[in-house]
Amino acid sequence: MQQGTLMRKVKSKSWKKQRYFKLQEDCMTIWYQSKRTGKTESAFSISDVETVREGHQSEVLQSVAEEFPPERCFTIVFYGRRGNLDLVAGSADEAQCWVQGLRQLIEVATTMDQREKIDQWIRDWFQKADKNKDGRMNFKEVQRLLKMMNVDMNEDHALRLFQDADKSESGTLEGEEFVLFYKALTQREEVLSLFREYSEDGKKLTLLELADFLREEQLEDEGTEELAMELIDKYEPSETARARHVLSADGFLMYLCSLEGSIFNPQHRGLWQDMSQPLCHYFISSSHNTYLIEDQLRGHSSIEGYIRALKRGCRCLEVDCWDGPNGEPMVYHGHTFTSKIPFREVVSTLGKYAFKTSDYPVILSLENHCSMEQQEVLAQQLKDILGEQLLTTTIDGHVPSQLPSPEELKHKILLKGKKIGRLEDTLDGPGDEAPDVSDDDNEAEAEEERRRAKVRTQPGSALQKDKETLAQALSDCVIYCKNVPFRGFQEARSHSRPSEISSLSEAKARKLIRDEGNEFVRHNAWQLTRIYPSGMRTDSSNYSPQEMWNVGCQIVALNFQTAGMEMDLCDGLFSQNGCCGYVLKPPFMRDKETLFNPSDPSSREGPGPITLTIQVISGQQLPKVANSKEGAIIDPLVRVEIYGVPADQAHQETKYIENNGFNPRWDETLQFQLHVPELALIRFVVEDYDKTSRNDFVGQFTLAFANIKPGYRHIHLLSKDGTSIPPSSLFVHIRITEPPGPEQD
């Protein structure tokens, strides 16, 4: 790989060009250049690569399958929304060499600790700035490097740091000298003063001093001495200090920058919620127009859309099916110029990727526009390809009185669509009777059900119409998610079943939230509701999912292909609980008789509002704004946004710091009142201040309030795409103040 290899880069059946690929000496960067011009086209870091797929595992490589055998083909898949790189090697051996090599390097990149990541980051910058590639850097090169790193430093100060680091007095920095220079540059005064506050001699923290810090500042309440011991073993770089059970200032900084020192409670990263409640008690990560990776008028339909959504933990996918040539149903956005993919390919992809990120059920939301003949094909392909994964009967053969839990439906794919008649009509055995409704309360309902059953089988009735337009085989695949029109909460309460689901447009949902908020919350305590974006959003933009979650809507479908605040909220909510795509709703949203209404926070039983105090202290190595002018340095500000019930919606921001994206200091305190903290999401946004136009986005991080750890914490920023941008971070102090309890007499 370091010698370099000539391979074909394939973009389509007609675009296949030779490129020279080479792994750089740092073993972390790959660049490639045109064979014809010899110009370096592009470079990418191993840390940007998510995985490598062998063979014809992309649509592009499938399109050239007849030309190139699978053993010579592979696909490099990047994090975020960046397109794949499809390659054809000259031989099977060459392909294997790259596939195995890349996999090993990805393994190394993902298991690096914080110190190794920073060392790697320093080396990357050194290589970028070392223009003449002699492994040394003169002062002019260092000045250019500082500009690239977002630092506008006084020349005298920069020269002083440079001379201090130039131990060999050669007028250049090499290797270790550059590391010294970087350390001086990144001296964290705010961390050092915190360290000295708890250290008696200012040089080290003893085991007991560290335990005091963890208890008093980080509010770690259990086993603080054991935890202190663990942290010293894990983060102290000096062996002698480790042996003496003390933590140096370097080790202290390493701890604060680690996952344990992050704002996100590490215990909530894994599966931490009860997964045995009915499906309707969870928020479910849901995608709209999943097959699109661009806009919905001219965008490209791709199975890649399904792979990306499933890898992000999405558990409800949308499939628009239309009649295709040769009796093969196709998936695309009807009446538009989007490209088409065979339904068979979508189902195969689903079978392969459904449970790679999460074991919990996937709901396939079927938009069926097919003829009766091709509906039969849909049903056949679902059964043939998915086999046991497709749920084709209730889990116990009985009519459900409530929906099963994610736990009971593990590794199952549920079809959501229209169904002929009722679920009981398709079940055999002891559960196939209509529910026993002999007690007085339900007599009227039973009478009404008999009347409706009569109407349903008359010519022209909905049932009759379904029988004429829906293939029985496809209808039989719909078990727990039968699509029914929404005719108001009263109608739903008296006639609907837990296995029925209604889909509402965002506008219809907003009206119901405004007019009947409490009824909506109650409805969602026992039945599923799906919300989808307005048809006017031809650019595939998104609505804010928060107001839908506020009334307990479970399936709030968003365009995953469109980055922005709305997807940040979605990623923020579902980044907890093992990224399994299911998040348990708060207790007051799971009770059918709840009085909660999001527009009136006092309807939630419990103590009054809590106070969230955020001290924004500093920023570290913030990235430059995409497409910014050469040498431009950002003027960063931090905005904290609260999303939740209307009374909690708020945002506040710090002042901006001029010309410093490298180590800005704000030292500002922002304070918020949260009336319904259980529903609140907190979004930290860094922007580049611009007095003449809109501020530019720099980075963000969003999490549910329930996952916040108090104390001194780092927030590791994400790009617009939701991918990490190490080592960019914010350093904050978080305090959560509960309301005082009832006064004692």
Side-chain angles (χ1 to χ4, degrees):
M1 288 167 79
Q2 285 185 328
Q3 284 169 357
T5 309
L6 202 56
M7 294 190 270
R8 278 180 201 275
K9 180 182 171 189
V10 186
K11 281 191 181 176
S12 67
K13 211 173 164 79
S14 55
W15 198 104
K16 308 180 279 276
K17 299 200 174 162
Q18 290 208 311
R19 295 287 181 266
Y20 183 66
F21 286 80
K22 189 170 192 290
L23 175 65
Q24 299 302 286
E25 281 169 23
D26 65 354
C27 284
M28 282 303 285
T29 318
I30 288 169
W31 59 247
Y32 53 97
Q33 61 183 28
S34 162
K35 184 183 181 228
R36 196 170 52 80
T37 62
K39 258 197 2 234
T40 297
E41 271 203 359
S42 192
F44 60 87
S45 167
I46 294 291
S47 50
D48 296 336
V49 180
E50 184 181 349
T51 189
V52 184
R53 297 188 207 139
E54 293 181 71
H56 301 143
Q57 283 205 63
S58 76
E59 283 151 302
V60 169
L61 289 176
Q62 280 168 11
S63 72
V64 294
E66 288 172 16
E67 203 177 335
F68 303 110
E71 56 273 14
R72 282 172 54 196
C73 301
F74 63 97
T75 301
I76 296 176
V77 182
F78 296 96
Y79 286 106
R81 292 174 176 81
R82 180 174 175 173
N84 297 344
L85 189 54
D86 290 301
L87 301 174
V88 181
S91 69
D93 284 351
E94 271 181 6
Q96 267 311 299
C97 153
W98 276 83
V99 168
Q100 298 304 330
L102 282 165
R103 283 180 180 160
Q104 282 177 21
L105 292 170
I106 293 166
E107 174 72 13
V108 169
T110 48
T111 52
M112 275 186 188
D113 65 23
Q114 193 66 23
R115 191 182 305 102
E116 289 169 325
K117 279 182 186 159
I118 287 182
D119 288 350
Q120 181 56 47
W121 195 76
I122 299 170
R123 283 199 295 273
D124 286 350
W125 279 114
F126 188 96
Q127 284 201 315
K128 279 181 198 163
D130 182 14
K131 282 289 181 216
N132 57 5
K133 303 287 176 234
D134 63 353
R136 312 155 171 266
M137 213 176 284
N138 60 35
F139 185 59
K140 207 168 189 53
E141 285 177 313
V142 164
Q143 280 180 298
R144 187 168 56 244
L145 171 69
L146 292 178
K147 279 249 185 326
M148 286 161 72
M149 289 171 101
N150 240 338
V151 194
D152 187 17
M153 191 177 277
N154 166 301
E155 193 169 328
D156 293 344
H157 182 54
L159 184 59
R160 200 160 53 249
L161 290 181
F162 179 89
Q163 287 167 341
D164 287 348
D166 180 16
K167 300 292 183 200
S168 61
E169 299 181 359
S170 62
T172 59
L173 301 182
E174 28 192 318
E176 278 311 301
E177 293 177 332
F178 181 71
V179 174
L180 277 175
F181 170 75
Y182 174 82
K183 278 203 162 154
L185 194 62
T186 52
Q187 191 79 335
R188 298 272 307 270
E189 207 38 63
E190 74 279 27
V191 174
L192 278 175
S193 61
L194 181 61
F195 176 79
R196 291 190 197 110
E197 218 176 292
Y198 280 85
S199 161
E200 198 178 331
D201 65 1
K203 295 192 179 108
K204 64 180 182 308
L205 288 174
T206 64
L207 190 62
L208 291 178
E209 286 168 344
L210 178 56
D212 285 347
F213 170 77
L214 293 172
R215 197 167 38 250
E216 290 166 28
E217 298 291 355
Q218 308 299 73
L219 304 189
E220 301 284 2
D221 44 5
E222 286 168 36
T224 40
E225 282 185 39
E226 289 91 330
L227 178 60
M229 194 69 211
E230 267 174 50
L231 296 176
I232 291 170
D233 283 345
K234 201 165 175 186
Y235 297 111
E236 176 48 56
S238 150
E239 264 180 60
T240 47
R242 276 203 307 274
R244 289 169 48 219
H245 306 322
V246 298
L247 193 66
S248 66
D250 272 355
F252 184 63
L253 178 60
M254 292 314 256
Y255 150 64
L256 285 176
C257 292
S258 72
L259 279 179
E260 279 105 332
S262 141
I263 189 171
F264 198 112
N265 185 341
Q267 286 163 340
H268 288 191
R269 282 195 183 278
L271 210 58
W272 67 283
Q273 295 185 324
D274 173 9
M275 300 305 286
S276 62
Q277 304 211 18
L279 223 45
C280 53
H281 286 183
Y282 298 83
F283 296 119
I284 303 171
S285 176
S286 307
S287 150
H288 176 65
N289 288 347
T290 316
Y291 45 87
L292 292 182
I293 48 177
E294 292 164 59
D295 74 71
Q296 57 196 55
L297 283 186
R298 290 174 303 279
H300 181 53
S301 301
S302 166
I303 52 171
E304 211 52 57
Y306 289 96
I307 296 172
R308 287 182 193 178
L310 287 164
K311 284 197 159 174
R312 282 172 87 163
C314 180
R315 298 285 89 188
C316 181
L317 310 166
E318 188 182 29
V319 194
D320 268 15
C321 298
W322 300 79
D323 279 2
N326 312 321
E328 276 278 325
M330 304 299 278
V331 173
Y332 64 99
H333 200 270
H335 315 301
T336 62
F337 298 106
T338 57
S339 59
K340 305 175 181 181
I341 30 178
F343 179 71
R344 174 193 301 278
E345 281 186 25
V346 172
V347 181
S348 297
T349 303
L350 183 58
K352 205 181 294 177
Y353 288 93
F355 304 109
K356 283 203 167 169
T357 300
S358 166
D359 293 335
Y360 293 106
V362 170
I363 298 168
L364 197 58
S365 181
L366 192 66
E367 294 287 323
N368 172 13
H369 308 277
C370 292
S371 61
M372 289 290 257
E373 295 75 32
Q374 294 211 7
Q375 286 182 41
E376 296 281 355
V377 178
L378 292 178
Q380 203 52 50
Q381 290 183 350
L382 282 166
K383 288 178 191 157
D384 289 350
I385 298 168
L386 297 177
E388 289 289 294
Q389 291 182 321
L390 183 69
L391 190 81
T392 52
T393 181
T394 55
I395 52 172
D396 58 3
H398 289 44
V399 179
S401 57
Q402 63 171 28
L403 282 165
S405 68
E407 195 60 45
E408 291 170 304
L409 292 168
K410 264 185 169 175
H411 300 118
K412 288 295 179 192
I413 294 169
L414 282 58
L415 193 64
K416 174 182 117 27
K418 286 187 176 166
K419 186 171 182 66
I420 301 167
R422 303 171 308 166
L423 183 56
E424 1 327 22
D425 305 334
T426 57
L427 291 174
D428 305 317
D432 62 354
E433 301 297 314
D436 179 18
V437 286
S438 54
D439 59 312
D440 295 343
D441 286 350
N442 288 332
E443 194 47 57
E445 188 177 329
E447 186 52 49
E448 175 63 12
E449 186 49 56
R450 285 193 282 275
R451 183 187 66 74
R452 289 172 83 212
K454 217 178 197 167
V455 172
R456 276 201 294 255
T457 49
Q458 287 170 358
S461 70
L463 181 68
Q464 193 63 31
K465 199 163 147 229
D466 281 346
K467 277 190 166 159
E468 288 161 15
T469 56
L470 184 61
Q472 187 69 49
L474 193 59
S475 165
D476 289 347
C477 295
V478 175
I479 307 299
Y480 290 117
C481 299
K482 174 189 173 178
N483 268 349
V484 295
F486 179 76
R487 297 201 174 94
F489 295 121
Q490 288 317 107
E491 169 86 359
R493 216 160 228 250
S494 48
H495 300 305
S496 300
R497 293 167 165 70
S499 57
E500 294 178 341
I501 174 171
S502 297
S503 287
L504 306 171
S505 71
E506 56 173 291
K508 171 87 171 156
R510 272 196 206 100
K511 187 173 184 328
L512 292 169
I513 292 167
R514 204 172 48 243
D515 300 345
E516 304 178 80
N518 172 245
E519 277 300 318
F520 211 163
V521 177
R522 289 181 175 202
H523 175 82
N524 287 325
W526 64 278
Q527 197 172 7
L528 291 170
T529 304
R530 178 177 182 266
I531 312 293
Y532 58 89
S534 138
M536 303 304 289
R537 295 182 180 272
T538 51
D539 57 351
S540 291
S541 60
N542 280 312
Y543 55 91
S544 170
Q546 186 67 47
E547 52 190 327
M548 316 301 173
W549 291 331
N550 287 344
V551 286
C553 295
Q554 303 86 350
I555 300 179
V556 179
L558 296 178
N559 289 301
F560 271 45
Q561 71 273 28
T562 309
M565 172 275 288
E566 300 83 4
M567 270 313 293
D568 293 345
L569 295 182
C570 182
D571 288 342
L573 177 65
F574 291 106
S575 58
Q576 60 180 314
N577 210 26
C579 292
C580 76
Y582 286 83
V583 168
L584 190 61
K585 296 197 278 188
F588 56 84
M589 302 189 91
R590 310 195 300 256
D591 169 10
K592 291 181 201 172
E593 305 305 323
T594 182
L595 300 173
F596 176 69
N597 184 342
S599 63
D600 172 16
S602 65
S603 60
R604 161 187 162 271
E605 287 175 20
I610 65 158
T611 304
L612 172 65
T613 307
I614 300 169
Q615 186 193 358
V616 181
I617 303 168
S618 62
Q620 292 73 44
Q621 289 100 313
L622 303 175
K624 284 175 119 49
V625 169
N627 311 322
S628 59
K629 290 200 293 285
E630 173 105 21
I633 288 170
I634 65 170
D635 307 326
L637 62 85
V638 178
R639 190 170 59 255
V640 178
E641 302 170 345
I642 310 287
Y643 295 86
V645 298
D648 289 345
Q649 297 275 16
H651 61 85
Q652 292 177 36
E653 60 188 43
T654 65
K655 59 183 181 294
Y656 67 92
I657 305 290
E658 229 168 291
N659 279 345
N660 187 354
F662 190 72
N663 54 1
R665 281 287 296 268
W666 291 280
D667 290 315
E668 286 189 56
T669 299
L670 313 176
Q671 201 166 67
F672 302 92
Q673 296 277 303
L674 300 182
H675 299 80
V676 187
E678 297 91 337
L679 288 171
L681 287 165
I682 322 293
R683 183 172 183 251
F684 295 84
V685 192
V686 181
E687 288 183 344
D688 177 15
Y689 173 76
D690 194 325
K691 55 177 172 287
T692 56
S693 62
R694 268 181 66 184
N695 293 348
D696 287 312
F697 174 89
V698 173
Q700 68 83 30
F701 187 79
T702 307
L703 77 167
F705 173 80
N707 299 319
I708 287 182
K709 281 283 265 186
Y712 285 96
R713 302 287 166 188
H714 276 91
I715 295 168
H716 300 282
L717 294 173
L718 303 174
S719 70
K720 212 182 188 78
D721 255 1
T723 55
S724 66
I725 34 179
S728 303
S729 62
L730 296 175
F731 186 47
V732 298
H733 182 269
I734 305 279
R735 192 165 73 250
I736 296 164
T737 318
E738 305 277 346
E743 284 184 31
Q744 303 296 313
D745 285 346

